[in-house]
Amino acid sequence: MACILLKLGRFEEAEKIYRSLLFMNPDNYKYLIAVQKCLGLYSENGQYSADDVERLSALYNSLKKEYSWSSAVKRIPLDFLEGEKFLEAADNYVRPLLTKGVPSLFSDLSPLYEHPGKANILEQLFLKLEDSIRTSGCFPGSSQIEPPSTLMWTLLLVSQHYDRRSQYDIALDKIDEAILHTPTVIDLYSIKGNILQHAGNFSAAAALADEARSMDLADRYLNSECVMQMLQADQVGLAEKTAVLFTKDGDQHNNLHDMQCMWYELASGESYFRQGDLGRALKNFLAVEKHYTDMTEDQFDFHSYCLRKMTLRAYVSMLKFQDRLHAHEYFHKAAAGAIRCYMKLHDSPLKSSAEENDELSKLPAAQRKKLRQKQKKAEARAKREAEEKQEDETTSTNSSKSGKKQQARPVDLDPHGEKLVQVEDPLAEATKYLKLLQNNSSDSLETHILSFELNMRKQKVLLAFQAVKQLIKLDENNPDSHRSLIRFFHRINNLPAPATDSEKLIWNVLEAERPDLRQLHGKSLVEVNINFLEKHNASLTHRAAAAEMMYLLEPDKKLQAIKLIEDSTNNTASGNGVLGPIKEWGIQDCIDVHKLLDTVFADQDVANRWKVRCAEYFPCSTYFEGVKSAITAHIPGSTSESSPENGDVPSPQAKLEGDAHSLNGTVHVVDDLSNLSMR
């Protein structure tokens, strides 16, 4: 009713109902935002005038008096307050949550880092609170002694703050101190793992996540977080063993597929793609695509059911869901991953059996005999495993405990995706998924980048040009948009004169469309590239794109292009920190530049110099082999040792025994406490 009145413009009546709703639930953000709309004090972009800020402050001050226990009433003003008023409000909001020990406090405050200047104010506040608790045991201006855990939660908050600002050394020091203070809090190990992941040390992050998981073997979230970290570190075998601890008995991998565990399949596919195993990568990406096909087919059973049961609201909701099904984030990632796999197969096709036989014939007779024996053994082993699996599936049709018969699951004849990579035309397969992305994710830059790359390989000039126009329309300042523009017209300029009628028609279309591109007005491609560099001279990624295009347009200026990258300066960001400077460069951008120097420019010495330089900026990164990259997942105050591959993953039986052991320990503690109270 209140929503309808608001849309009708009857604000006083709507406000009255919303305030009655607030009386029932003062922590509902929607009700509070709706009251602002009724009073004309809501802005979609978060920009408010000084008068609006005063009126909003008065509104929330009155609400605080009425609902002093409401967290939302205290949190929302942090979005519009500035300066000293923001500092005071943030101080009042943070203190009780640190005393109570709320692990999600930083996640709540994280959106404030997008507001200019507020990150520095929060940093000064956090350090002031930490220093006061260290020295006096109290918050500033308070005489009440805080519990010992308050310092630990404050250190956790400070470490997350410096992690967000990419100051990983300080963040690790703070989180290590928190672990030394209270080594039994699981959140500390998870957060330290996240910091190491952001710092570029994926193996140590996986070890920390495994340590957190082992502290509570019954927590499914910790298990999933550990699996994700292991997949990020390309420890696929360990990740699968850890993931199946929470699946049913039997064929564990198929259970993950049957449960439509798409985040696991996507992360596995990305890991296999990084390792160059395109078969298994495609297997995982196409498994996600299969889930969406099943969802599309399942809707047909729902039509008659909804009409028969008259569940019309659910029916309309289902129809809307089906309309945007292929626009879902997981489908986009799976389709994009499959397209990248197919393009890589096209660029580096697998050797045919004839080519393999030719290579074998060149080997000595003894080596050739050994290789053939190994192949025969591998084929026999695979056949035997398939037969054993078939027998297991057949026996699973016996009666279960409930007396019901279980249906045998069909055997996967291609578990490693070997048949998936044996396609005659990889680009044709990639086109199927590209069309789905173009129809459902047309507002994504990645969609049009993939379209450009694919159509350039297929020699589809007009479709590639269409992708270039879409990229410029979405973000003309993006480095990939600039690369696509230069690469396309450089390719067109080097084509021979059109001979056939179709080639002439294509040429006429390009000549007619070219004046519409503002970047090319009366300029050569070299001038366009120079203008792009001058406009984005301070950005590393833009300088790298301009250098790459300089080398493409003028190959004789290779040294000048390399110098353009090496002369880039890692400037200090605008919001400088209290404990140290905050640099602008991100670790992934530096990795991309190193790969560019190593592959496109093919200069190993320059790539090594860049690697040494970046190792100073990211000392924990294993990619750049920084001075702290060999760091293990050392847990301060812990005596347990872990193997190089995160230790052994406990079996479900060991997990149950561990839980029973923990329970027994809890019983003994309870008995001791009860005896103490009786004494």
Side-chain angles (χ1 to χ4, degrees):
M1 175 64 73
C3 180
I4 293 171
L5 290 172
L6 181 61
K7 290 182 177 180
L8 289 173
R10 295 159 64 176
F11 301 122
E12 293 183 1
E13 299 173 66
E15 181 189 355
K16 185 177 180 181
I17 298 177
Y18 275 123
R19 285 187 178 272
S20 64
L21 290 169
L22 276 177
F23 181 77
M24 290 184 273
N25 184 5
D27 276 315
N28 191 310
Y29 276 65
K30 293 182 180 179
Y31 299 162
L32 291 164
I33 297 300
V35 170
Q36 288 183 218
K37 290 180 178 179
C38 293
L39 297 173
L41 295 175
Y42 180 73
S43 173
E44 292 288 346
N45 58 9
Q47 302 294 326
Y48 296 96
S49 64
D51 183 51
D52 289 340
V53 171
E54 289 185 9
R55 293 174 61 195
L56 282 169
S57 299
L59 169 65
Y60 280 96
N61 286 335
S62 64
L63 290 172
K64 284 178 189 176
K65 295 177 182 178
E66 192 172 356
Y67 309 111
S68 58
W69 65 92
S70 171
S71 176
V73 169
K74 300 174 184 175
R75 170 61 182 84
I76 292 178
L78 299 182
D79 292 328
F80 59 80
L81 292 176
E82 300 287 346
E84 291 296 327
K85 291 184 178 180
F86 169 77
L87 175 61
E88 181 183 356
D91 192 8
N92 294 332
Y93 181 72
V94 165
R95 288 190 185 193
L97 298 181
L98 289 175
T99 302
K100 188 182 295 185
V102 178
S104 61
L105 174 57
F106 183 78
S107 298
D108 188 15
L109 299 175
S110 184
L112 298 174
Y113 285 73
E114 303 297 331
H115 298 230
K118 289 189 177 181
N120 283 341
I121 297 176
L122 288 174
E123 180 173 327
Q124 294 171 4
L125 171 62
F126 297 159
L127 294 177
K128 182 179 178 182
L129 295 176
E130 178 194 350
D131 182 64
S132 179
I133 295 172
R134 282 181 190 277
T135 54
S136 64
C138 310
F139 284 127
S142 173
S143 59
Q144 183 178 356
I145 300 296
E146 292 294 319
S149 62
T150 303
L151 176 59
M152 183 270 294
W153 292 113
T154 305
L155 289 170
L156 173 62
L157 181 63
V158 173
S159 69
Q160 290 175 292
H161 164 80
Y162 283 110
D163 176 37
R164 173 63 183 262
R165 307 201 84 181
S166 302
Q167 294 174 282
Y168 304 118
D169 288 342
I170 304 175
L172 287 171
D173 290 341
K174 297 294 182 182
I175 198 68
D176 282 341
E177 186 178 352
I179 293 174
L180 278 172
H181 185 280
T182 313
T184 56
V185 178
I186 300 176
D187 298 275
L188 300 179
Y189 302 94
S190 298
I191 296 302
K192 183 176 180 181
N194 291 336
I195 296 171
L196 286 170
Q197 178 193 3
H198 300 157
N201 197 330
F202 299 116
S203 57
L208 261 298
D210 190 58
E211 181 73 19
R213 179 195 64 82
S214 64
M215 294 175 72
D216 187 355
L217 295 172
D219 193 316
R220 188 188 296 268
Y221 171 78
L222 291 175
N223 183 276
S224 300
E225 190 72 17
C226 177
V227 170
M228 184 64 79
Q229 294 281 19
M230 288 176 174
L231 290 174
Q232 187 72 31
D234 294 335
Q235 301 170 357
V236 184
L238 269 177
E240 185 170 351
K241 291 178 182 178
T242 307
V244 299
L245 293 176
F246 279 88
T247 60
K248 299 176 183 177
D249 294 334
D251 190 350
Q252 311 289 8
H253 184 76
N254 276 343
N255 276 326
L256 289 169
H257 178 74
D258 293 341
M259 290 189 297
Q260 296 186 344
C261 191
M262 289 185 274
W263 65 264
Y264 173 81
E265 290 169 328
L266 285 172
S268 297
E270 293 292 346
S271 178
Y272 282 125
F273 183 80
R274 287 193 296 268
Q275 298 176 64
D277 192 342
L278 297 182
R280 297 192 186 192
L282 269 176
K283 185 82 175 175
N284 283 278
F285 290 137
L286 297 186
V288 176
E289 190 269 338
K290 176 68 166 54
H291 296 324
Y292 284 89
T293 303
D294 293 340
M295 293 179 199
T296 304
E297 293 175 354
D298 290 343
Q299 69 172 309
F300 297 112
D301 296 330
F302 207 50
H303 289 292
S304 58
Y305 173 84
C306 288
L307 295 176
R308 186 172 70 252
K309 295 293 185 179
M310 293 300 291
T311 56
L312 297 182
R313 283 187 296 174
Y315 184 55
V316 172
S317 176
M318 186 272 293
L319 292 176
K320 292 180 178 178
F321 171 75
Q322 289 292 338
D323 288 340
R324 60 179 186 273
L325 180 63
H326 289 95
H328 194 271
E329 179 185 3
Y330 281 173
F331 179 82
H332 179 94
K333 289 181 178 179
I339 293 170
R340 284 187 276 111
C341 287
Y342 283 124
M343 288 196 297
K344 198 166 185 178
L345 279 174
H346 174 267
D347 297 339
S348 304
L350 300 176
K351 295 179 181 178
S352 63
S353 57
E355 292 175 343
E356 290 180 354
N357 291 333
D358 290 340
E359 290 186 359
L360 282 175
S361 63
K362 297 177 182 178
L363 295 175
Q367 292 185 13
R368 188 164 61 246
K369 185 178 179 180
K370 287 182 180 179
L371 284 175
R372 285 175 177 169
Q373 287 177 349
K374 286 184 180 179
Q375 289 175 355
K376 288 180 180 179
K377 287 181 180 179
E379 291 174 0
R381 190 186 307 114
K383 185 177 180 180
R384 185 170 61 253
E385 290 177 356
E387 290 175 353
E388 291 175 356
K389 188 176 288 187
Q390 181 68 51
E391 290 177 3
D392 294 340
E393 297 294 344
T394 304
T395 56
S396 67
T397 57
N398 295 331
S399 298
S400 61
K401 294 180 181 179
S402 60
K404 297 180 181 179
K405 286 191 175 182
Q406 299 176 347
Q407 186 178 3
R409 182 182 287 112
V411 178
D412 188 357
L413 300 178
D414 187 24
H416 303 315
E418 295 173 356
K419 295 181 181 179
L420 292 175
V421 296
Q422 297 173 358
V423 291
E424 294 183 1
D425 190 355
L427 297 184
E429 295 294 325
T431 304
K432 299 176 184 177
Y433 300 103
L434 177 63
K435 289 180 179 178
L436 287 171
L437 289 182
Q438 288 175 324
N439 292 334
N440 299 280
S441 301
S442 59
D443 56 345
S444 170
L445 271 176
E446 186 180 20
T447 297
H448 301 293
I449 291 171
L450 292 172
S451 175
F452 173 77
E453 296 290 346
L454 184 58
N455 286 304
M456 288 291 281
R457 286 170 171 80
K458 293 173 65 178
Q459 308 294 330
K460 300 289 186 180
V461 176
L462 291 183
L463 291 177
F465 181 59
Q466 185 184 47
V468 171
K469 290 184 66 177
Q470 289 295 329
L471 285 170
I472 293 174
K473 181 180 178 181
L474 289 174
D475 187 1
E476 64 178 358
N477 295 318
N478 187 278
D480 289 320
S481 300
H482 177 69
R483 283 190 181 98
S484 302
L485 176 69
I486 299 296
R487 283 177 55 196
F488 177 79
F489 282 102
H490 176 68
R491 179 77 172 272
I492 295 299
N493 294 341
N494 290 330
L495 287 177
T500 63
D501 292 339
S502 60
E503 290 177 353
K504 292 178 181 178
L505 182 60
I506 293 173
W507 191 266
N508 291 335
V509 171
L510 293 176
E511 289 297 322
E513 291 285 340
R514 186 163 182 164
D516 294 338
L517 296 176
R518 179 177 53 81
Q519 293 83 354
L520 300 178
H521 281 178
K523 300 175 185 175
S524 65
L525 294 181
V526 174
E527 292 174 335
V528 172
N529 193 47
I530 292 174
N531 290 340
F532 180 81
L533 175 61
E534 291 175 351
K535 187 176 180 181
H536 306 283
N537 191 41
S539 169
L540 173 64
T541 55
H542 291 80
R543 289 175 70 95
E548 182 183 355
M549 292 303 99
M550 178 188 292
Y551 180 46
L552 175 68
L553 297 172
E554 302 172 287
D556 57 323
K557 292 188 176 180
K558 177 180 178 179
L559 296 179
Q560 186 177 344
I562 291 175
K563 189 174 184 299
L564 184 62
I565 296 177
E566 290 190 314
D567 287 346
S568 302
T569 305
N570 192 3
N571 297 319
T572 303
S574 56
N576 202 8
V578 175
L579 296 185
I582 302 170
K583 299 295 185 179
E584 290 183 342
W585 290 0
I587 185 170
Q588 189 57 50
D589 294 336
C590 292
I591 291 174
D592 293 339
V593 171
H594 177 265
K595 291 179 179 178
L596 176 70
L597 294 170
D598 194 25
T599 56
V600 176
F601 289 96
D603 193 323
Q604 191 65 40
D605 294 335
V606 175
N608 289 336
R609 287 204 303 269
W610 181 261
K611 194 172 186 178
V612 171
R613 179 181 179 184
C614 291
E616 298 178 4
Y617 299 133
F618 308 102
C620 295
S621 171
T622 53
Y623 184 90
F624 293 118
E625 301 175 358
V627 293
K628 298 182 181 179
S629 61
I631 183 175
T632 59
H634 174 64
I635 313 299
S638 173
T639 57
S640 62
E641 295 181 359
S642 58
S643 67
E645 293 186 356
N646 304 342
D648 296 329
V649 178
S651 63
Q653 181 64 29
K655 170 181 172 295
L656 294 175
E657 293 174 358
D659 293 343
H661 177 72
S662 300
L663 181 60
N664 291 335
T666 305
V667 172
H668 293 323
V669 171
V670 171
D671 290 341
D672 293 341
L673 289 174
S674 61
N675 294 335
L676 179 61
S677 62
M678 289 172 66
R679 284 198 224 91

